[in-house]
């Protein structure tokens, strides 16, 4: 950990450090003495408060607390000067004297410069100057300094330790932090039952998320260089304005507070409408409805009261309307879409009038969020004033629904996004762990920014805890969208993990986290269910996945054991618990699926064995969650993590399993790979892929039996050939390719025991070592060709568009994306106008076969999502994907977001065996392709694409 503070930890492109001509570092603490921190008493309260955090941070590192002074001392060898341009006379004097260069900072939004100045003031020998263009610019400059000396933004929220040192220094600089790529950057605390439970237990027993908790939230946001918040809004949380300290605190910290899509005009409908309605009953005593077509004046007054109450604070005003508590807009007297559009236009005009009268010019930003049914109304003609920011929502699962057109991009109010890292709703909720692949986030946010969506980015983070990594990445991109590219998103993880645990561990932790995200891209742990992954096809698809998880967990544990004791709590929270929890969530369903299969196969003791394993995995999952809540950090996080909260959607719980009564019998049963029961489908072996295949040998009863296996050819190798069997055993078969003759062979394995004999057929195809060495491209085997899209033979750019590889994206190691995402679609003359990917393929069979493109399920609700495939010079076949988020369960969109891919199928004709070229063409830009599978008759079942075909690389 000593290396953490040894050098600047800020990404160079985001905070440019000029050459310092070998000037000595500036000591904040040396020889037991801390350097005083000066900030003018007339500066903004947010700046003064942040300077106090710098005091605390120096003490965290060095054990000595600096003095915070508001008057420049008459004599000081060293001094830290903190101030805002135009609000700090000391800073302004240095600028006027040419001692402090603010040419790249002054007049900018939230920019800052940190620089050592010699003899800045009479009696002061040397000063570290932190100057901001505005109050938050200064605050970020202060927290930059804290992070440079080794205080992580997550020091409190994730218990990241601060390395202690006797001497604390920062480089002389200057270090310039440019203004951010996105003006407003923040989070939505949503579906927050666990956060509420924890807050009440550990922070404020008399409140359900109150000012003491929000102080921690505000500090975290500023340390992450965010400036914006949608507060908690559900029934089990106190609404933000219930405690008047909350908006006052936010303003003192410099946090802009807004409200979510169903909370117009900073009003929390869940808590506030009912009391308002009670106080404004109709003449007949009935309660007014939250329906603008029924009670416009009552609702207007309701909004006006909050505008007047919060007029003095820096706020963001959500205009438009939806129903109470995230429900659809209610319009009793407007039933058609055009009628509803007219009502929405009236609503917006009324709200704008209120803001002009109650808040005045300070009523900005104003935002309009076309979420769910409101998007339909917006597209049908809602008139949003030009100075209002349009906030475009994703589909709640990380896929942007639509992005601004040319006219919308020119609007003075600009554009923003509302993006989910956590979600409660259809088709499935994911609230437990941070499981959105960072490369997926990068791809979507990069696409967003290319469409000039740069006014506001708001991220739904659920309970905050468990989203630490994803949130850090999103806010990092929001500040410097060019910092990370398609080839180096994992480098963010290296850098981020190095800051939390020390640079020596950064690369290893990044590799762990990348694999964790990859497995979640196959299926989020919250989306696991019965019979999703195949337990019989492709080497036990589900079992191979569990092996990958098991290896990942073992690597995580080994690395955790090497860390200093001070890092163990943070490592458990940020790395080990997510890996272990996801593993166990998958494991219990794997064993439950094996249990159900055992029943169908007629297993005896093994059926109960699988039931025991499923229930043990669930019990272990509960145990590690209890450890998180009751032991980690001394029980600090009591209630913060819970896969099974009482009031909101839960992660999959204990799967049902079957048990058999013991019977004093025995019997031999066999099920070979590719067969749910029996052995009808042969075990397939190819000299190209050189696979191994399994045969499950099981006891149909409970008494032990003796068994043996005998191959019909000497070049068949078995992992075991017999013994005593109580419940079950998996036998692996391989081929000794050095001994097998060339050609096609159909040997068999014979299993005997308990008075019966069962034969397992094999299909062994050996084209010889010479053919294997000379193969070019992907080789058909086992009745399919499976291709990772990033492994193309050639990429052909056309018309200013191209395909690029995005590392860490999709179900394997990378995917390919058609860029730029603003390119026009290509719908004609694809072979001469469209960017193309080419793959060499060697077929052993001829015919017309389905080819399936696994694409990432991006959306475009005002366009299409198309790609085209062709073989050789045949005409390309265009396949069209789901472009609209329906919000339903069970349809194409729901299946796509559950699986993380959409499977688009065309057909290609192989005229003759031999070498061919598979071609993939962009039709619509921004589409990303993960895998391609050509089924020549052998794909069989399976949730994932088959293992990648052999290719000589």
């Amino acid at each position: 950990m000593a290396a953490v503070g040894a050098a600047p930890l800020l990404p160079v492109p985001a905070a440019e450090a000029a050459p310092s001509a070998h000037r000595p570092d500036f000591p904040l603490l040396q020889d037991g003495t801390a350097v005083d921190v000066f900030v003018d008493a007339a500066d903004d309260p947010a700046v003064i408060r942040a300077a106090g955090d710098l005091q605390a941070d120096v003490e965290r590192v060095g054990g000595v607390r600096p003095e915070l002074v508001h008057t420049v001392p008459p004599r000081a060898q060293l001094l830290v000067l903190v101030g805002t341009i135009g609000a700090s006379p000391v800073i302004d004097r240095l600028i006027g004297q040419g001692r402090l260069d603010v040419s790249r900072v002054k007049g900018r939004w939230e920019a800052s410069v940190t620089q050592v100045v010699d003899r800045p003031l009479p009696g002061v020998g040397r000063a570290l100057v932190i100057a901001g263009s505005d109050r938050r610019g200064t605050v970020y400059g202060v927290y930059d300094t804290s992070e440079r000396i080794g205080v992580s933004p997550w020091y409190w929220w994730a218990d990241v330790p601060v390395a202690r040192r006797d001497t604390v220094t920062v480089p002389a600089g200057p270090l310039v932090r440019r203004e951010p790529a996105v003006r407003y950057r923040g989070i939505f605390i949503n579906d927050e039952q666990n956060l509420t439970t924890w807050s009440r237990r550990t922070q404020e027993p008399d409140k359900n998320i109150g000012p003491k908790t929000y102080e921690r939230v505000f500090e975290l946001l500023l340390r992450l260089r965010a400036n914006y918040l949608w507060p908690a809004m559900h029934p089990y949380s106190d609404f933000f304005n219930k405690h008047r300290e909350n908006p006052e605190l936010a303003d003192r910290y410099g946090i802009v507070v807004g409200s979510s899509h169903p909370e117009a005009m900073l009003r929390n409908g869940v808590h506030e409408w009912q009391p308002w309605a009670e106080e404004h009953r109709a003449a007949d005593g009935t309660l007014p409805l939250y329906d603008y077509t029924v009670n416009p004046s009552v609702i207007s007054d309701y909004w006006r009261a909050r505008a007047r109450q919060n007029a003095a604070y820096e706020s963001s005003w959500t205009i438009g309307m939806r129903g109470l508590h995230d429900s659809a807009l209610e319009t009793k007297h407007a039933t058609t879409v055009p009628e509803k559009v007219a009502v929405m236009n009236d609503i917006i005009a009324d709200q704008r009038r209120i803001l002009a009268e109650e808040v005045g010019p300070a009523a900005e930003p104003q935002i309009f969020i076309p979420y769910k049914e409101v998007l339909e109304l917006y597209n049908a003609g809602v008139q949003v004033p030009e100075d209002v920011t349009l906030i475009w929502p994703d589909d709640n699962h990380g896929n942007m629904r639509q992005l601004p057109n040319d006219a919308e991009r020119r609007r003075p109010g600009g554009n923003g996004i509302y993006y989910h890292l956590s979600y409660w709703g259809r088709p499935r909720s994911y609230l437990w762990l941070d499981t959105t692949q960072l490369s997926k986030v990068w791809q979507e946010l990069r696409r967003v920014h290319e469409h000039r969506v740069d006014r506001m980015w708001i991220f739904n983070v659920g309970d905050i805890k468990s989203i630490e990594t994803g949130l850090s990445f999103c806010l990092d991109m929001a500040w410097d969208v060019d910092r990370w590219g398609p080839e180096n998103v994992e480098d963010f993880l290296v850098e981020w993990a190095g800051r939390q645990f020390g640079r020596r561990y950064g690369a290893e932790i990044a590799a762990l986290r990348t694999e964790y995200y990859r497995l979640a891209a196959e299926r989020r742990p919250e989306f696991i269910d019965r019979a999703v992954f195949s337990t019989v096809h492709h080497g036990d698809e589900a079992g191979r996945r569990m092996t990958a998880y098991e290896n990942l967990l073992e690597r995580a544990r080994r690395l955790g054991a090497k860390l200093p004791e001070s890092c163990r709590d943070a490592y458990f929270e940020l790395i080990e618990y997510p890996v272990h929890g996801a593993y166990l969530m998958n494991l219990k369903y794997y064993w439950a699926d094996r249990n159900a299969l055992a029943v169908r196969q007629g297993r005896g003791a093994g059926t109960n064995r699988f039931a025991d394993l499923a229930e043990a995995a669930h019990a272990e999952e509960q145990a590690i969650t209890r450890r998180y809540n009751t032991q980690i950090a001394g029980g600090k996080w009591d209630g913060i993590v819970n896969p099974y909260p009482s009031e909101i959607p839960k992660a999959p719980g204990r799967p049902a399993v079957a048990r058999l009564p013991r019977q004093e019998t025995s019997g031999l049963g066999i099920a070979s790979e590719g067969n749910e029961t029996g052995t009808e489908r042969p075990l397939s072996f190819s000299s190209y892929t050189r696979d191994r295949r399994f045969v499950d040998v099981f006891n149909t009863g409970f008494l032990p039996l003796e068994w043996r296996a005998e191959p019909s050819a000497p070049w068949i190798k078995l992992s075991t050939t017999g013994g005593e069997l109580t419940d079950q055993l998996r036998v692996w078969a391989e081929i000794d390719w050095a001994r097998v003759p060339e050609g096609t062979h159909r040997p068999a394995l014979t299993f005997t025991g308990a008075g019966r004999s069962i034969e397992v057929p094999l299909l062994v195809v050996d084209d010889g070592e010479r053919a294997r060495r000379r193969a070019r491209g992907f080789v058909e085997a086992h009745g399919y060709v499976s291709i990772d899209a990033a492994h193309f033979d050639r990429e052909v750019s056309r018309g200013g568009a191209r395909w690029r590889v995005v590392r860490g994206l999709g179900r394997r190691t990378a995917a390919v994306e058609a860029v730029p995402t603003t390119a026009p679609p290509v719908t004609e003359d694809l072979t001469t106008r469209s960017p193309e990917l080419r793959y060499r393929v060697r077929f052993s069979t001829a015919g017309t076969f389905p080819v399936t493109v696994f694409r990432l399920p991006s959306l475009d609700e005002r366009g299409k999502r198309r790609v085209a495939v062709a073989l050789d010079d045949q005409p390309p076949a265009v396949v069209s994907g789901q472009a609209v988020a329906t919000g339903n369960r069970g349809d194409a969109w729901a299946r796509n977001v559950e699986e993380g891919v959409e499977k688009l199928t065309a057909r290609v004709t192989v005229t003759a065996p031999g070498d061919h070229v598979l071609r993939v063409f962009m039709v619509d830009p921004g589409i990303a392709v993960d895998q391609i599978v050509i089924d020549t008759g052998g794909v069989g079942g399976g949730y994932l694409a088959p293992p990648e075909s052999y290719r000589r690389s």
Side-chain angles (χ1 to χ4, degrees), residues 20 105 121 154 216 218 262 303 319 403 433 469 562 655 738 777 810 892:
S20 60
V105 170
L121 300 166
W154 295 99
R216 292 293 187 182
F218 298 154
W303 290 333
I319 65 172
L403 292 172
L433 300 176
T469 309
K562 293 190 292 186

Side-chain angles (χ1 to χ4, degrees), residues 168-203:
V168 181
T169 63
V170 293
L175 182 127
V176 176
R177 180 168 288 284
R178 303 190 308 268
E179 62 184 355
V182 178
R183 175 160 288 207
Y184 294 102
R185 311 162 304 282
I187 67 172
F188 181 19
I189 300 174
N190 195 216
D191 314 318
E192 65 277 0
Q193 185 186 352
N194 291 343
L195 186 68
T196 302
T197 300
W198 164 80
S199 177
R200 191 173 183 86
R201 288 180 183 176
T202 69
Q203 303 298 302

Side-chain angles (χ1 to χ4, degrees), residues 836-852:
E836 175 186 352
L837 296 170
R838 295 178 181 174
Y839 303 87
R840 294 179 182 270
V841 182
R842 174 175 292 182
F843 290 96
S844 57
T845 53
T848 298
F849 307 116
V851 53
T852 299

